[in-house]
Amino acid sequence: MSKNLVIVESPAKAKTIEGYLGSDFKVVSSYGHVRDLPKGDKAIDIENSFKPTYEVSSDKKEVIRELKKLSKVAQTIYLASDDDREGEAISWHLKEALKLNPESTRRIVFREITKSAIQNAIANPRAIDEDLVNAQQARRILDRLVGYELSPVLWKKIKRGLSAGRVQSVAVRLVVEKERDIDHFDTQSFFKVVAIFNVQGKELKAELPSKFDSLEEAKAYLNSCIGANFQIENLEKKPAKRSPAAPFTTSTLQQEASRKLGYSVVQTMTVAQKLYEAGKISYMRTDSVNLSDEAINGAVNEIKASYGPEFVKTRKFKTKSKSAQEAHEAIRPTDFSNHTAGKDYNEQRLYELIWKRAVASQMAEAQLERTIVTIEASTNAQKLIAQGEVIKFEGFLKVYIESTDDDEHNEEAKGILPPLNIGQVLDLKSMTARQGFTRPPARYTEASLVKKLEEMGIGRPSTYAPTISTVQKREYVSKENREGVERNYAELILRNNTVAEQTKTEITGAEKAKLFPTNIAMVVNDFLVEHFPNVIDYSFTAKVEEEFDNIAHGGQEWDKMIKNFYGGFHNKVEQTEQISRSDVGASREIGIDPASGKPVIARLGKFGPLVQIGESDPDNPENKPQYASMNKGQFIESISLEEALELFKLPREVGTYKDQEIIAAQGRFGPYLKFDGKFVSLPKDADPLSITEDEAIVLIKEKEAADAPIYVYQGEPVQKGKGRFGPFIKWNNMFINVNKKYDWDNLSDNDIVELIEDKIQKEKEKVIHNWEEEGIRVEKARWGRHNVIKGKLKIELAKTVDVSDMTLEEAKALIEKNKPAKKTARKKK
């Protein structure tokens, strides 16, 4: 048995670290948090200074049992969870749950998993930082109090199943307010003038700096340029520099990975975690832009070796955030000589981004020469401007160019200009005045929402990804791609001394991976803003974050901070009892249905937003309202009477096929056709209100062809399809992935049989024990776990549970223990 026990958070990390420490050390994982507040309102003793009660999570009981055994025989226990508040709390919970002796327990921290960092940490242990633990504990308790007291209010006043969170509700508010800003935006038209000149066989593009408000003004200007002589009035050359950005923090990595790689915030953190645990990058949860001297030296050596000494310029970046811990480092490679790293394509791309950004931060500025050309016309006083840019010395641009959130709207980059001289006469090829439109504010992406939260001082590196994930899971915010709509615009062209006018079309308003609020988000947000302004106030939420920071630095007592918040908050919760459900803006009367004379109402229903004609009449149960689901992008607060009445035209009878009726309808997941008990989704360009019988029959035939069996195996049909995880075949209710070694479009009978039999064999190999007479089995599950299964009941065991010798009696005991409680019927009043 090893003398020393090291407990880390993840098994991947344990494996890497054990290789650095030798045979005297055993490194094991706690698999993250081992204790938490239990469910229910007994977890926090409000009357006793908010004292929390913690319990070991059900899936961690086996882990704790195993760690207790190992800790009892170890001379020294090193708690090596992450170097942040969450990590400090994990170490404290381990100490408490394992009842560790302070004399033999050490806390060690490191910001990268390299041999030198690990050995240095072992050589410099410390005690658990109680202030950091208290800061994490304060956040957890405050968030629990807010969630547990606020959620039931939402159930009573708006809809059951809703939940509220301190930071999540603020994030939702930002998305809701952005949507309303867009909705209220008044688009203005303008005309932009661009001239193209021929200069020695090359084109010179120049623009009029001012824009015209109307077509008439633009036309008047172009007419004034008929027959004009153009010449260069002035040439101005200016040297310019461009400096590199600081190395990545958590939020800037999330933003850049979103823009350059298309990663979601959660995906970025998952991939970064793998790189960190493999020892390739430093810790990925940080708000510091600082690099250690050792890291700067590593970057400098690599820059000299790869690009030359003239490309080196060392810098120390300072973090703007008051809460940032400068002792921590920015995200960087652990070894700058490794230009690539990572097990798969996603890891390799993210590592390359981190490497480039960190290296570029220690490189020389790019030296540029900017040229501004002023062009005069003989027939009017307005000047045209052309701009060009020449890179004299690449500097950091040789490695890395930072992107911005506005890249998709940027004009094309300034190019190299042809040779020009003052007084040079220019040959006009064409001049265009194109109608443009002011753009509404851009919707948030996941990464730009993180940027906004950080700018406002809301949240910290460890909370960004969970916040973004939570608001989507709770269906307050949806991440969507939306197609644009066609729009006409006017264009005037001066060519050969003639001005021509034409109308063209463009697609506008297309969105990719943008965040949209749902109807429920708008209703809940308005309720919270009105009745709980403190909880959802931006500056108040930022102030709470600062108080957590004060607790972490030992400047404030956590229980007093909670007490200051809770009193006023709890009083507000009690006051909401007086609020009538009808006063909450979950419904809106839009107008009167001209056909029936009944009111048309938009409101939240059990399955989402809907519109209804008429209201329930207790005296006449037959007189029921008509209902129609709203389409995606329609809101209770803004849907018009005309839009609402359109929804009642569905479902509609389209025609017949094979003597069966075809119905077009709108569902929760979009428009569809219903035929012979089957459903056929309509493509994006098909309108359920106008689709014809012939068009519908074509779609139904395509669906029938796609669903037709391609083979029959053991009397059961085989079908093929494509799902979220790629192509598959379906046989006997079993979905079988078809990997790239098979030709998906031309699967042979032998291929199909091979795929099915391989799957059957794998299913058999998954079974560890099978007590068929009892209908109980033990199977291999994902990530090294096992499941005990009986019927629909599936019990996931901890990774540390050894099932090889499990008996039927032990399996039965687990099933009995994990049986869902029977629901008791409510007593009738």
Side-chain angles (χ1 to χ4, degrees):
M1 182 55 66
S2 301
K3 295 176 186 175
N4 303 293
L5 179 68
V6 180
I7 305 175
V8 296
E9 289 178 40
S10 78
K13 197 188 294 185
K15 193 175 178 183
T16 309
I17 292 171
E18 195 162 62
Y20 294 143
L21 290 176
S23 58
D24 278 349
F25 289 83
K26 182 173 182 62
V27 186
V28 292
S29 169
S30 70
Y31 300 94
H33 269 285
V34 293
R35 296 199 314 174
D36 199 3
L37 298 170
K39 289 182 179 177
D41 55 5
K42 305 293 184 211
I44 301 164
D45 188 348
I46 293 166
E47 302 302 321
N48 188 17
S49 298
F50 303 94
K51 185 180 178 184
T53 298
Y54 295 104
E55 64 178 31
V56 174
S57 313
S58 58
D59 63 331
K60 295 296 172 65
K61 286 181 179 173
E62 289 296 329
V63 172
I64 289 296
R65 218 170 278 141
E66 186 64 27
L67 291 176
K68 273 185 178 176
K69 283 183 200 171
L70 294 170
S71 62
K72 280 177 182 173
V73 295
Q75 286 183 13
T76 307
I77 298 103
Y78 293 93
L79 301 174
S81 49
D82 290 339
D83 184 16
D84 54 20
R85 291 177 204 170
E86 207 71 28
E88 206 69 19
I90 288 173
S91 282
W92 179 76
H93 281 296
L94 280 167
K95 185 194 80 166
E96 297 292 311
L98 300 175
K99 297 182 172 57
L100 297 178
N101 181 352
E103 297 297 317
S104 58
T105 304
R106 306 282 184 272
R107 171 78 171 114
I108 59 168
V109 292
F110 39 84
R111 302 293 295 181
E112 61 184 62
I113 302 175
T114 58
K115 189 169 186 176
S116 60
I118 301 302
Q119 290 178 342
N120 186 56
I122 292 286
N124 296 280
R126 62 168 172 80
I128 289 174
D129 188 329
E130 299 286 344
D131 292 330
L132 286 181
V133 174
N134 287 336
Q136 189 275 343
Q137 187 164 245
R139 179 188 290 279
R140 185 75 187 92
I141 291 170
L142 187 63
D143 288 349
R144 168 61 69 90
L145 289 170
V146 170
Y148 264 62
E149 296 217 0
L150 212 46
S151 297
V153 174
L154 300 180
W155 302 347
K156 290 177 192 173
K157 306 303 174 186
I158 301 174
K159 184 183 172 187
R160 282 204 68 79
L162 296 176
S163 58
R166 189 180 53 82
V167 176
Q168 293 92 322
S169 295
V170 173
V172 170
R173 182 180 180 184
L174 283 167
V175 176
V176 167
E177 290 182 347
K178 179 73 76 175
E179 192 67 30
R180 286 176 174 155
D181 287 344
I182 292 167
D183 191 47
H184 298 147
F185 183 79
D186 182 19
T187 300
Q188 301 292 321
S189 165
F190 61 87
F191 285 81
K192 177 181 173 183
V193 175
V194 176
I196 304 292
F197 297 97
N198 278 324
V199 181
Q200 299 173 10
K202 294 182 179 179
E203 287 190 348
L204 173 65
K205 177 182 170 183
E207 294 181 6
L208 198 64
S210 58
K211 295 179 175 68
F212 297 110
D213 294 331
S214 68
L215 178 68
E216 290 70 26
E217 290 174 307
K219 190 181 288 186
Y221 174 76
L222 260 63
N223 282 327
S224 77
C225 291
I226 293 174
N229 294 317
F230 296 91
Q231 70 175 23
I232 295 173
E233 181 186 71
N234 191 34
L235 272 176
E236 189 178 2
K237 293 188 178 182
K238 289 181 178 178
K241 288 182 182 179
R242 198 182 299 175
S243 298
F248 284 128
T249 62
T250 301
S251 70
T252 54
L253 176 65
Q254 290 168 350
Q255 291 159 46
E256 196 74 334
S258 172
R259 292 186 292 243
K260 278 194 159 80
L261 309 179
Y263 290 179
S264 70
V265 166
V266 171
Q267 183 184 10
T268 297
M269 295 312 290
T270 302
V271 175
Q273 179 94 29
K274 289 177 182 175
L275 289 169
Y276 167 65
E277 290 177 349
K280 302 302 181 186
I281 62 169
S282 60
Y283 192 50
M284 66 287 156
R285 291 190 185 93
T286 178
D287 48 13
S288 172
V289 290
N290 185 44
L291 288 180
S292 67
D293 291 340
E294 184 185 351
I296 290 172
N297 289 337
V300 166
N301 290 336
E302 196 51 39
I303 294 163
K304 286 178 179 175
S306 298
Y307 308 108
E310 69 275 18
F311 281 87
V312 173
K313 182 174 181 181
T314 60
R315 293 175 187 82
K316 284 276 189 181
F317 292 90
K318 277 286 180 185
T319 308
K320 293 175 186 174
S321 167
K322 288 184 288 184
S323 66
Q325 300 176 63
E326 295 298 343
H328 292 169
E329 279 195 82
I331 305 167
R332 60 164 177 81
T334 55
D335 183 351
F336 282 89
S337 67
N338 289 333
H339 291 220
T340 59
K343 289 182 179 177
D344 59 36
Y345 184 56
N346 285 345
E347 289 182 33
Q348 288 158 11
R349 292 174 79 205
L350 192 67
Y351 178 84
E352 185 181 350
L353 195 65
I354 293 166
W355 185 91
K356 285 181 174 180
R357 177 86 163 217
V359 165
S361 75
Q362 302 305 313
M363 292 179 74
E365 291 97 346
Q367 304 291 336
L368 313 171
E369 183 181 78
R370 289 191 181 133
T371 303
I372 300 171
V373 185
T374 306
I375 301 166
E376 62 180 355
S378 61
T379 54
N380 61 65
Q382 297 196 64
K383 315 292 184 186
L384 293 158
I385 303 294
Q387 294 188 61
E389 194 171 81
V390 177
I391 296 174
K392 294 291 189 181
F393 174 65
E394 283 179 293
F396 76 95
L397 293 178
K398 196 169 186 72
V399 173
Y400 181 80
I401 302 173
E402 185 184 19
S403 60
T404 72
D405 289 322
D406 295 323
D407 278 359
E408 61 186 290
H409 300 313
N410 282 350
E411 298 296 329
E412 59 188 86
K414 299 178 182 71
I416 298 173
L417 300 174
L420 301 168
N421 301 299
I422 293 174
Q424 185 175 345
V425 176
L426 300 174
D427 174 24
L428 179 68
K429 181 179 179 183
S430 66
M431 184 180 286
T432 304
R434 187 188 190 279
Q435 186 180 19
F437 301 88
T438 52
R439 288 191 183 93
R443 287 183 176 89
Y444 290 111
T445 61
E446 287 187 349
S448 65
L449 181 56
V450 165
K451 182 182 180 184
K452 183 68 176 175
L453 289 168
E454 185 186 41
E455 285 172 355
M456 299 174 84
I458 296 167
R460 292 295 179 260
S462 62
T463 66
Y464 299 139
T467 298
I468 300 298
S469 179
T470 300
V471 296
Q472 292 178 68
K473 281 181 187 170
R474 291 179 177 172
E475 297 185 353
Y476 287 131
V477 171
S478 62
K479 183 168 73 171
E480 298 175 22
N481 298 332
R482 290 198 182 170
E483 293 184 345
V485 293
E486 203 171 78
R487 175 173 68 187
N488 292 334
Y489 67 93
E491 188 172 81
L492 302 169
I493 300 179
L494 167 60
R495 189 181 284 122
N496 299 326
N497 289 327
T498 303
V499 176
E501 180 181 340
Q502 53 187 337
T503 300
K504 293 185 174 181
T505 59
E506 63 182 354
I507 300 298
T508 183
E511 302 277 18
K512 186 176 180 184
K514 294 292 178 68
L515 299 181
F516 293 82
T518 61
N519 274 279
I520 196 71
M522 291 182 155
V523 173
V524 169
N525 175 73
D526 292 352
F527 177 82
L528 294 176
V529 167
E530 183 177 353
H531 299 289
F532 295 92
N534 266 14
V535 174
I536 205 165
D537 179 74
Y538 297 134
S539 58
F540 176 80
T541 308
K543 182 173 175 288
V544 169
E545 294 287 357
E546 287 179 11
E547 290 188 82
F548 290 147
D549 293 337
N550 287 339
I551 294 167
H553 299 137
Q556 191 168 351
E557 293 179 36
W558 73 268
D559 52 344
K560 287 182 180 175
M561 178 256 176
I562 302 281
K563 185 179 179 181
N564 291 339
F565 170 88
Y566 183 74
F569 168 70
H570 183 68
N571 289 338
K572 278 281 186 186
V573 170
E574 291 182 327
Q575 288 168 21
T576 58
E577 290 296 327
Q578 312 305 317
I579 301 167
S580 168
R581 188 165 181 150
S582 61
D583 292 335
V584 179
S587 68
R588 179 174 75 93
E589 187 171 322
I590 304 167
I592 301 297
D593 173 30
S596 65
K598 293 178 180 178
V600 181
I601 298 163
R603 67 176 182 84
L604 278 177
K606 187 177 180 182
F607 299 110
L610 55 83
V611 288
Q612 68 181 60
I613 297 175
E615 297 187 76
S616 299
D617 184 354
D619 298 327
N620 186 2
E622 297 299 313
N623 191 13
K624 294 180 180 177
Q626 288 178 264
Y627 300 101
S629 295
M630 283 191 203
N631 292 330
K632 189 180 280 188
Q634 291 180 325
F635 293 111
I636 292 168
E637 64 183 45
S638 59
I639 189 171
S640 68
L641 179 63
E642 184 183 7
E643 290 168 335
L645 292 175
E646 278 289 308
L647 298 171
F648 287 98
K649 293 178 181 177
L650 296 173
R652 63 178 269 263
E653 186 179 338
V654 177
T656 58
Y657 174 59
K658 295 181 180 178
D659 296 327
Q660 294 283 335
E661 192 177 52
I662 304 170
I663 301 294
Q666 177 74 33
R668 289 176 67 195
F669 304 107
Y672 64 89
L673 297 173
K674 188 177 179 183
F675 163 77
D676 194 22
K678 298 184 182 73
F679 299 91
V680 182
S681 294
L682 289 183
K684 289 178 181 178
D685 58 350
D687 182 358
L689 290 168
S690 60
I691 190 168
T692 65
E693 181 182 74
D694 289 343
E695 290 169 336
I697 289 170
V698 168
L699 292 171
I700 291 167
K701 284 181 176 178
E702 288 174 358
K703 176 72 172 170
E704 286 178 334
D707 290 347
I710 58 170
Y711 189 72
V712 175
Y713 181 77
Q714 293 183 358
E716 295 286 344
V718 180
Q719 295 168 304
K720 67 189 294 192
K722 287 188 177 179
R724 285 176 62 199
F725 305 108
F728 65 85
I729 58 172
K730 182 184 176 187
W731 172 78
N732 197 20
N733 290 324
M734 191 182 286
F735 290 88
I736 303 160
N737 290 331
V738 179
N739 62 40
K740 289 180 181 176
K741 87 172 191 180
Y742 296 96
D743 182 352
W744 164 246
D745 294 316
N746 301 292
L747 286 175
S748 68
D749 293 352
N750 287 339
D751 291 339
I752 294 165
V753 171
E754 184 180 338
L755 282 161
I756 293 170
E757 290 182 349
D758 282 352
K759 180 71 172 178
I760 292 170
Q761 185 58 36
K762 283 176 185 172
E763 290 297 312
K764 284 179 181 175
E765 289 170 1
K766 274 170 58 177
V767 178
I768 310 299
H769 300 294
N770 191 8
W771 298 286
E772 289 185 33
E773 67 284 358
E774 300 283 350
I776 299 172
R777 66 189 185 278
V778 180
E779 285 186 357
K780 287 180 186 174
R782 296 166 72 192
W783 321 125
R785 295 176 183 266
H786 294 85
N787 292 332
V788 176
I789 300 167
K790 181 172 184 181
K792 291 185 178 179
L793 180 63
K794 184 186 284 187
I795 304 156
E796 188 175 287
L797 305 175
K799 291 183 185 178
T800 51
V801 176
D802 183 0
V803 297
S804 57
D805 297 323
M806 182 177 280
T807 63
L808 175 59
E809 286 68 31
E810 287 171 332
K812 281 182 174 179
L814 277 168
I815 289 165
E816 191 61 34
K817 185 179 174 184
N818 288 275
K819 259 189 199 170
K822 288 182 180 176
K823 291 181 180 177
T824 53
R826 288 185 181 177
K827 292 179 182 178
K828 291 183 179 178
K829 290 183 180 177

